[in-house]
Amino acid sequence: MKETEILKHFAIWNEIEQPQPLRVGFINDSFVVPAKRIGETSYCLQRINHNIFKDVEGLMRNIEIVTSHIREKLLIAREENIERKVLHLIPTKEGKLFYKSPDGNYWRLYVLVEPATSQEKVTPKAAELTGEAFGRFQCQLADLPFNALCESIPNFHNMEFRLRQLDEAIAEAANRPVSDVRRKRLEESRDIVEAINSRRERMCLAEILFREGKLRKHINHCDTKVNNVLFDEKGRPICIVDLDTVMPGFVFSDFGDFMRTAANTGAEDDPNLDNIHVDLEIFEAYTRGYLKEATFLTPLEKELLPYGCRLLSYMQTVRFFTDWLNGDTYYKIAYPEHNLVRTKAQLRLVEEQEKVEEQMKSIIARL
Ligand code: GN1
Ligand code: MG
């Protein structure tokens, strides 16, 4: 169904232009819908990937709970420009949070936050402000009981679960004929399997501590990549986007996911592994901003922040590698080897983070 047809189902009252595809993210499809007249509201239309998000209803309810909770906090604090500081869902004409088209697709509409840009790299100053923004985001949600939201993807950041998925992918690939592409992919990456296996137990620490009742869950964003923050023209963070995965989780994993993407001198999918190091200046700046706002952290949660960095890079290694072995069914890829290149780049980041663990700890202690 054409996007223009889809838009007719939403409660938009101003005149709009043709939707334009927006090439961001690996999961959903997004379109910018500009207003016809300058100064009026423009929109962002998204087709939700329901192969990945099976419970669209629950996911949209999560987003509605989180955005209205934050909006209320901003109103109480008498903030200005609230429309730019928290995402605003436009309901359908029937008052629903999404529209299901006859062809079985799910659509939602947000007010477009503008002018704003997203970045793949940040300066230390921007990192500090972003640390504050995420610290505030978690703080604003700290009074919501963690089970107020559902897991829009069950076990999303559960390391034990991600390793089980990998084991299944390995078993499946190993059972295929020698000539099969998935079998070949496995045979050619024994060293990666090795590297993952040697870290398994350590990396499942959070689940163990949770079962022992030593660690709690919060409402987390669960995809705090640097490109999920919108910045204004002066390079200040204004709004946190991509809320599909807001759900219960461990606070340090949100910290770690930002560091995985922003405190890396290379790219997430850098083909040149020599580019990949931990940017400790960014690490320090973000941590300074974050600790200023995240006043609710327990001593254990604070202690686990460097672990959170390694955890998220390791988890992403496992997830990219699983997708590689499965024949690239989950992430959008730009070229055939993309998931393998991503895997190697993330694994190198884990190794680099291990090298500077002590330095990270002393930065945190100093701050
Ligand atoms: C996916 O679509 P995007 O780029 O926002 C993924 C994250 C991964 C990330 C890796 C629902 O996010 O979990 O960390 O790619 N989202 C989902 O860059 O799986
Ligand atoms: Mg995203």
Side-chain angles (χ1 to χ4, degrees), residues 119 121-132 226 231 235-237 258-259 262-263 279-290 292:
Q119 308 178 10
K121 283 274 159 283
V122 284
T123 62
K125 188 68 212 154
E128 179 171 349
L129 294 171
T130 310
E132 288 177 22
V226 60
F231 294 88
R236 289 173 306 209
F258 185 84
M259 296 302 191
D279 187 331
L280 282 173
E281 207 187 340
I282 296 290
F283 175 86
E284 174 159 352
Y286 182 86
T287 307
R288 188 181 309 116
Y290 179 73
K292 220 182 285 171

Side-chain angles (χ1 to χ4, degrees), residues 25-27 52-53 153 156 222-223 225 228 242 245 257 260 268 316 319-320 330-331:
F26 304 160
I27 308 286
I52 288 180
F53 298 108
I153 298 181
F156 189 56
C222 286
D223 192 16
K225 294 202 289 195
N228 281 331
D242 197 351
T245 51
D257 217 3
R260 177 179 77 77
E268 181 183 63
Q316 204 55 62
R319 291 179 62 195
F320 283 146
Y330 190 91
Y331 292 108

Side-chain angles (χ1 to χ4, degrees), residues 131-148:
E132 288 177 22
F134 274 117
R136 218 174 300 127
F137 180 82
Q138 287 186 331
C139 235
Q140 283 164 333
L141 300 173
D143 58 340
L144 270 176
F146 79 86
N147 52 10

Side-chain angles (χ1 to χ4, degrees), residues 315-328:
M315 192 181 303
Q316 204 55 62
T317 308
V318 171
R319 291 179 62 195
F320 283 146
F321 187 52
T322 304
D323 201 33
W324 171 247
L325 294 182
N326 283 340
D328 312 308

Side-chain angles (χ1 to χ4, degrees), residues 156-287:
F156 189 56
H157 274 186
N158 181 330
M159 197 60 246
E160 291 173 345
F161 172 76
R162 293 300 180 189
L163 285 164
R164 277 202 296 281
Q165 286 187 314
L166 172 63
D167 292 340
E168 281 162 23
I170 292 177
E172 170 69 31
N175 276 329
R176 300 212 155 209
V178 214
S179 59
D180 188 279
V181 59
R182 288 164 66 182
R183 171 82 177 263
K184 279 198 200 132
R185 286 182 175 190
L186 176 64
E187 300 303 345
E188 284 160 12
S189 31
R190 288 289 169 192
D191 50 333
I192 297 176
V193 177
E194 250 326 277
I196 290 175
N197 283 343
S198 68
R199 293 168 171 89
R200 247 170 212 266
E201 274 167 45
R202 266 179 286 159
M203 298 320 297
C204 293
L205 177 70
E207 275 72 40
I208 297 170
L209 291 173
F210 181 69
R211 274 197 295 275
E212 290 174 349
K214 293 180 183 145
L215 199 61
R216 51 182 185 163
K217 287 192 181 178
H218 288 260
I219 303 296
N220 260 16
H221 180 281
C222 286
D223 192 16
T224 49
K225 294 202 289 195
V226 60
N227 62 12
N228 281 331
V229 183
L230 297 182
F231 294 88
D232 68 10
E233 55 291 338
K234 293 201 174 114
R236 289 173 306 209
I238 37 178
C239 188
I240 290 168
V241 298
D242 197 351
L243 302 177
D244 292 318
T245 51
V246 284
M247 66 175 105
F250 304 118
V251 272
F252 48 78
S253 82
D254 268 6
F255 179 87
D257 217 3
F258 185 84
M259 296 302 191
R260 177 179 77 77
T261 51
N264 175 359
T265 53
E268 181 183 63
D269 56 352
D270 214 310
N272 181 359
L273 298 182
D274 292 335
N275 288 342
I276 299 172
H277 302 284
V278 178
D279 187 331
L280 282 173
E281 207 187 340
I282 296 290
F283 175 86
E284 174 159 352
Y286 182 86
T287 307

